[in-house]
Amino acid sequence: MAERQRVGVLVSGRGSNLQALIDAAGAADFPARIVGVISNKRGAYALERARAADIPSATISHRQFEGRAAFEEALIAQLRDWQVDWVVLAGFMRVLTPTFIRAFAPRILNIHPSLLPAFPGVGVQQAALDYGVRVSGCTVHLVDEGTDTGPIIAQAAVPVRDDDNAESLAARILVEEHRIFPAAIRQIISKPWRLVGRRIVFEDAP
Ligand code: GAR
């Protein structure tokens, strides 16, 4: 197998998607390994998960910095120090500016808890309920300079039930997140692909 790609993961909270990646990366044929985890929140449970898996971690709080530019420079410096090939946003709750995106694009991946392009941004499970959609889900996409607008790698749908609240819908979506995020990362890293307009087209390896 080709050498594993080096992945840096950005988190802000509980880190259940990070855990799904850690678990997937335990497989001998997974094409990537997590070389570092950065949290912008001190004490995030995701940091415990990194520690338990012997993965280096750092807390870089946006509050330590005067503005976004300095915060992102610190993120970039840490990720470069770890020599990452890919950046994975796993529940990272800060919007990244073009400065950060250009440092790593197109190798930045995000998981979002709606069927994009419906409900970008935050508070999306409640937004889906308020709108009255019957189906929601999650999306794994490449990150571009917009908010949740990049080319889509994978999606999974779940039903919205009449008695759902934001928590119950989020929990149902999360089960699918844990399934499709590692699978999409495996796919985008191990298979040749190209962009045709907005579409990601995978080419079968010869
Ligand atoms: C997940 O539902 C993820 O899709 C969402 O935050 C949660 C993080 O959970 N991400 C976003 O909303 C990004 N804007 P986790 O910390 O347990 O992985």
Side-chain angles (χ1 to χ4, degrees):
M1 189 176 79
E3 202 164 305
R4 290 187 186 210
Q5 297 277 294
R6 300 172 65 85
V7 171
V9 183
L10 304 192
V11 296
S12 298
R14 143 190 84 176
S16 69
N17 277 290
L18 169 66
Q19 189 65 54
L21 295 185
I22 290 171
D23 295 346
D29 66 344
F30 199 76
R33 70 188 182 97
I34 303 169
V35 295
V37 173
I38 301 176
S39 173
N40 69 308
K41 287 262 173 69
R42 226 169 280 289
Y45 188 64
L47 293 166
E48 294 297 321
R49 298 183 192 268
R51 230 170 316 228
D54 275 331
I55 297 167
S57 65
T59 300
I60 301 178
S61 167
H62 51 281
R63 295 172 198 273
Q64 290 165 237
F65 300 92
E66 281 294 321
R68 268 184 208 276
F71 169 58
E72 292 188 357
E73 273 168 33
L75 295 178
I76 292 168
Q78 179 62 80
L79 291 165
R80 290 221 167 111
D81 195 44
W82 286 331
Q83 298 181 290
V84 307
D85 301 304
W86 290 81
V87 178
V88 167
L89 310 180
F92 184 67
M93 302 310 278
R94 306 292 299 176
V95 170
L96 294 163
T97 74
T99 307
F100 183 94
I101 306 303
R102 285 176 199 154
F104 297 103
R107 295 174 160 211
I108 310 174
L109 304 166
N110 184 43
I111 178 94
H112 181 80
S114 76
L115 290 175
L116 291 171
F119 312 119
V122 295
V124 302
Q125 292 91 352
Q126 190 59 51
L129 291 174
D130 291 346
Y131 196 92
V133 294
R134 296 294 181 180
V135 174
S136 190
C138 51
T139 303
V140 181
H141 63 95
L142 295 175
V143 176
D144 66 9
E145 294 181 17
T147 301
D148 302 323
T149 52
I152 291 171
I153 303 166
Q155 293 184 299
V158 305
V160 178
R161 305 230 161 97
D162 288 348
D163 60 354
D164 265 335
N165 57 31
E167 289 69 38
S168 63
L169 179 58
R172 192 173 312 118
I173 293 171
L174 200 62
V175 173
E176 295 303 308
E177 294 186 36
H178 297 162
R179 190 175 63 78
I180 70 166
F181 204 16
I185 291 172
R186 176 190 280 274
Q187 188 183 25
I188 198 86
I189 287 182
S190 60
K191 285 193 182 170
W193 56 273
R194 66 199 159 90
L195 273 179
V196 179
R198 293 188 43 84
R199 292 177 64 197
I200 296 175
V201 176
F202 287 96
E203 295 159 24
D204 284 329

